Amino acid sequence: MAKHIFMIDKRVANAIEATHDIPNGAKLMIGGFGLCGIPENCIAAILQKGITGLTCISNNAGVDDFGIGLLLKTKQVKKMISSYVGENAEFERQLLSGELEVELIPQGTLAERVRAGGAGIPAFFTPAGVGTEVADGKETRVFDGKTYLMERWLRADFSIVKAWKGDTSGNLVYKGTARNFNPMMATAGTITIAEVEELVEVGQLDPNHIHTPGIFVHRIFQGSNYEKRIEQRTISNSVIR
Amino acid sequence: MLDKIGIAKRIAQEVRNGMYINLGIGIPTLVANYIPPSINVVLQSENGLLGIGPFPTEDLVDPDLINAGKQTITMMPGSALFSSADSFGMIRGGKVNLTILGAMEVSENGDIANWKVPGKMVKGMGGAMDLVASAQNIIVAMQHCSKDGASKLLKKCSLPITGLNCVKKIVSDLAVLDVLPTGGFKLLERAPGVTVDQIKNATEGKLIIEGEIPEMILA
């Protein structure tokens, strides 16, 4: 048994420090589903620093004036890899004018490609997309009478995730449906940056309740001024559309 | 003819006790309102929740709790939260018993097209391709014809495909139809006030009519 407490301190001061070495042309993973569970502070830092030519792997592309939409507006994004990119007029304009490249991936395939990237699985077979244009140019194989499509892993230079709580060694806990793509993306970055609403000392999070073990996280900081914008505010007496 | 609410009410009759169900955006989301309280089901949201509850009251709105349509929601007693990878694991793994989604076109062999109209803005397939590739049972809510009167129940889809041979049942504004494993739309019920001839004229794909076709009963 170790006589001392060994813990690696991964804390950095803020989003500016956490993102200081992201170069132009970097491939990023950015957590979140819609505007839920997105790393608001790091997006703001990338916006402020003006890093360009980015490839962003993220389920969605934000809205016109929030989330990744902010980086689209300033033309910092060269390519989006996403499953659904509606609700964004500037995105649409850039796509139709050819300024922006887009790769659309079935959502479950996107989640699994990221998971595979973090788990060291270079390829896998999925039924999603068989017989569709998603299958163009990809290997298919029949297993037990059903056709499956081979999909490759996804990895990133920097994975940027948002969690509810974290400790200084990088252990993370998510809240509600803000978890979404964050846990897989945390595993698939060469450098993984986590911003959290509450950063605590080691020992203060129950090890039974950790969602992302700290081994996957390289830098962590407590974010500030979370806006947590809601895309579709629906309350119980409103009519479902 | 059924309006959106009518389609949702009729689809709700297909729901059975104990089902785990994924509801797509639009009419499918409305189905939840018409499932009788005597039937216990769990609604899955592919962004990472089992046990979707009603929309919150103003004081319970939580930006960290949304459904796949990005609407604020609540959880039920017994709800569970998970990642997108786990979510699509349970979808591809065949654990979700029923998927209800919208369609632009369905072919007589059960192919579905609902994600892309060439020449128009492409928003992406979201989770639709994963859902249709794996669900045990898929019910489609759709309009039988386009606004200019062209059938959407076709021999072969003209729009880009979302999935092959997957649709089991269709509830349209005109009818309830099974998609047979051997091919063809089998007419089961007529919407109130709709004749068999109207349905024949509105269906381009192979329509199978056996005996009297009853009018559907809506509560």
Side-chain angles (χ1 to χ4, degrees), chain A residues 33-37 60 82-88 91-92 95-96 104-109 111-112 115 126-134 146 162 175-181 183-184 197 228-241, chain B residues 25-27 29-30 32-33 46-49 54-58 61-73 75 81-86 88-89 92 115-116 119-131 133-134 160-164:
Chain A
F33 182 98
L35 301 178
C36 182
N60 311 92
S82 304
S83 86
Y84 187 82
V85 292
E87 351 300 349
N88 194 320
F91 181 96
E92 186 170 343
L95 180 61
L96 295 174
L104 293 170
I105 299 176
Q107 194 173 132
T109 298
E112 194 63 15
R115 199 195 72 80
T126 176
V130 170
T132 76
E133 62 187 59
V134 167
K146 186 169 170 170
K162 155 80 194 336
K175 176 168 164 275
T177 55
R179 189 181 318 185
N180 56 64
F181 282 82
M184 295 82 75
E197 289 175 53
K228 294 195 182 181
R229 196 182 293 187
I230 292 171
E231 278 184 76
Q232 305 283 344
R233 189 183 195 87
T234 41
I235 54 174
S236 60
N237 55 2
S238 65
V239 177
I240 309 178
R241 281 165 295 166
Chain B
I25 295 164
I27 297 175
T29 304
L30 293 171
N33 294 342
E46 65 260 29
N47 57 321
L49 171 64
F55 292 136
T57 50
E58 194 64 55
V61 167
D62 180 354
D64 291 328
L65 203 55
I66 61 169
N67 64 17
K70 286 126 187 170
Q71 296 172 310
T72 46
I73 49 164
M75 294 190 280
L81 294 157
F82 38 86
S83 72
S84 300
D86 284 343
F88 284 93
R92 281 190 310 266
W115 79 281
K116 182 177 184 180
K120 291 204 179 162
M121 172 61 186
V122 180
K123 291 174 188 283
M125 65 292 281
M129 285 189 182
D130 310 271
L131 281 159
S134 310
I161 295 289
T162 309
L164 300 172

Side-chain angles (χ1 to χ4, degrees), chain A residues 75-120:
Chain A
K75 299 185 183 171
Q76 290 173 252
V77 181
K78 182 184 74 177
K79 182 175 182 181
M80 282 301 310
I81 299 176
S82 304
S83 86
Y84 187 82
V85 292
E87 351 300 349
N88 194 320
E90 175 61 17
F91 181 96
E92 186 170 343
R93 193 198 63 70
Q94 288 186 23
L95 180 61
L96 295 174
S97 71
E99 292 165 64
L100 182 68
E101 282 177 66
V102 177
E103 185 180 343
L104 293 170
I105 299 176
Q107 194 173 132
T109 298
L110 177 61
E112 194 63 15
R113 286 179 69 183
V114 174
R115 199 195 72 80

Side-chain angles (χ1 to χ4, degrees), chain A residues 16-156:
Chain A
I16 300 288
E17 187 185 338
T19 59
H20 76 278
D21 54 352
I22 298 180
N24 290 337
K27 186 187 263 194
L28 308 182
M29 285 186 187
I30 300 178
F33 182 98
L35 301 178
C36 182
I38 59 172
E40 292 182 22
N41 281 230
C42 283
I43 291 171
I46 292 166
L47 179 72
Q48 189 189 323
K49 208 177 164 204
I51 307 162
T52 60
L54 297 171
T55 294
C56 291
I57 302 166
S58 185
N59 188 55
N60 311 92
V63 296
D64 272 325
D65 58 347
F66 204 60
I68 295 174
L70 294 168
L71 304 176
L72 289 166
K73 211 174 213 171
T74 49
K75 299 185 183 171
Q76 290 173 252
V77 181
K78 182 184 74 177
K79 182 175 182 181
M80 282 301 310
I81 299 176
S82 304
S83 86
Y84 187 82
V85 292
E87 351 300 349
N88 194 320
E90 175 61 17
F91 181 96
E92 186 170 343
R93 193 198 63 70
Q94 288 186 23
L95 180 61
L96 295 174
S97 71
E99 292 165 64
L100 182 68
E101 282 177 66
V102 177
E103 185 180 343
L104 293 170
I105 299 176
Q107 194 173 132
T109 298
L110 177 61
E112 194 63 15
R113 286 179 69 183
V114 174
R115 199 195 72 80
I121 307 285
F124 59 91
F125 285 87
T126 176
V130 170
T132 76
E133 62 187 59
V134 167
D136 290 349
K138 289 176 188 162
E139 182 182 341
T140 58
R141 274 175 75 175
V142 176
F143 295 97
D144 300 326
K146 186 169 170 170
T147 305
Y148 295 83
L149 195 60
M150 189 172 82
E151 294 281 3
R152 297 290 311 274
W153 64 7
L154 275 172
R155 292 175 150 185

